[in-house]
């Protein structure tokens, strides 16, 4: 059964800092892994999707890596801004590859 | 392109009452998911449809929860009777891909408070 863990649960950084959010998953036989952003009271916004055959994906200041063998993914945010403050959720496919299993998220606060 | 639509956005009910949530996925998306997100937790899958068939409902509390997706488009999630622990945000998501998950697109969610 797939389980997803995110560390740390919360993170506070000053504006401009580069940071890394960590995600680990127990079943390495994944179809894909996705990173989402959730603002308070809102739904989830997809940030990056990494297929199982890929090692990383980039979008603007965001870079996500995937290491299936170790069951880990990282989300790197470069030059953080106050607008990046949100909860970031990692999700990996379940054993059947049909749905996403989510971690509890990392709540990021970027101060100006 | 219109996103995933959900209604109502907010609902407050007494325990033992019933409630229904509606979801309209992105046009052409074959796969539809309902997730439950309790405060401070990640979303938990309740049920997954592919077109109008159920793929996975193993975590749906079937004694009180039901869901349907008529004609393979809109979907309704019903809770009857509601319990205090059902207080959560109910998120609907859709995906274009039939095999695997593809990229999931979420609606804004329906926030339920059970008193």
């Amino acid at each position: 059964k797939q389980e997803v863990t995110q560390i740390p649960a919360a993170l506070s950084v000053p504006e401009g800092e580069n940071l890394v959010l960590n995600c680990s998953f127990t079943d390495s036989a994944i179809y894909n892994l996705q990173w989402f952003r959730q603002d308070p009271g809102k739904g989830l916004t997809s940030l990056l999707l990494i297929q199982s055959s890929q090692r990383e994906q980039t979008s603007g200041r965001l870079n996500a890596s995937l290491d299936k063998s170790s069951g880990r993914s990282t989300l790197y945010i470069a030059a953080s801004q106050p607008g990046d403050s949100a909860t970031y959720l990692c999700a990996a496919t379940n054993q059947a590859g049909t749905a996403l299993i989510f971690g509890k998220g990392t709540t990021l606060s970027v101060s100006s | 392109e219109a996103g995933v639509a959900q209604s109502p956005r907010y609902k407050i009910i007494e325990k033992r009452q019933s409630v229904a949530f509606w979801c309209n996925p992105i046009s052409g998306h074959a796969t539809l998911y309902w997730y439950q997100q309790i405060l401070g937790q990640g979303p938990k899958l309740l049920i997954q449809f592919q077109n109008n068939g159920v793929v996975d409902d193993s975590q749906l509390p079937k004694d009180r929860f039901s869901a349907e997706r008529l004609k393979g488009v809109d979907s309704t999630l019903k809770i009857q009777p509601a319990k205090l622990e059902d207080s959560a945000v109910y998120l609907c998501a859709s995906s274009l891909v039939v095999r695997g998950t593809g990229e999931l697109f979420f609606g804004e969610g329906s926030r339920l408070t059970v008193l």
Side-chain angles (χ1 to χ4, degrees), chain A residues 51-107:
Chain A
Q51 299 290 355
S52 62
S53 58
Q54 298 174 318
R55 297 281 297 190
E56 64 178 331
Q57 281 284 351
T58 298
S59 176
R61 295 182 294 107
L62 305 180
N63 175 274
S65 67
L66 175 63
D67 183 344
K68 283 176 53 180
S69 61
S70 66
R72 295 177 186 273
S73 176
T74 61
L75 178 67
Y76 175 83
I77 302 177
S80 59
Q81 303 171 356
D84 295 331
S85 298
T87 296
Y88 291 82
L89 293 152
C90 167
T93 50
N94 61 1
Q95 206 164 30
T98 56
L100 289 177
I101 306 301
F102 283 82
K104 293 183 178 181
T106 294
T107 299

Side-chain angles (χ1 to χ4, degrees), chain A residues 9-87:
Chain A
L11 182 63
S12 293
V13 300
E15 182 177 6
E17 194 161 299
N18 301 326
L19 59 101
V20 174
L21 306 181
N22 297 294
C23 171
S24 62
F25 46 94
T26 55
D27 185 351
S28 61
I30 60 172
Y31 279 72
N32 63 59
L33 183 141
Q34 286 188 239
W35 283 92
F36 293 86
R37 169 182 172 142
Q38 187 172 33
D39 292 286
K42 300 289 188 180
L44 279 66
T45 301
S46 177
L47 296 173
L48 291 164
L49 166 67
I50 311 177
Q51 299 290 355
S52 62
S53 58
Q54 298 174 318
R55 297 281 297 190
E56 64 178 331
Q57 281 284 351
T58 298
S59 176
R61 295 182 294 107
L62 305 180
N63 175 274
S65 67
L66 175 63
D67 183 344
K68 283 176 53 180
S69 61
S70 66
R72 295 177 186 273
S73 176
T74 61
L75 178 67
Y76 175 83
I77 302 177
S80 59
Q81 303 171 356
D84 295 331
S85 298
T87 296

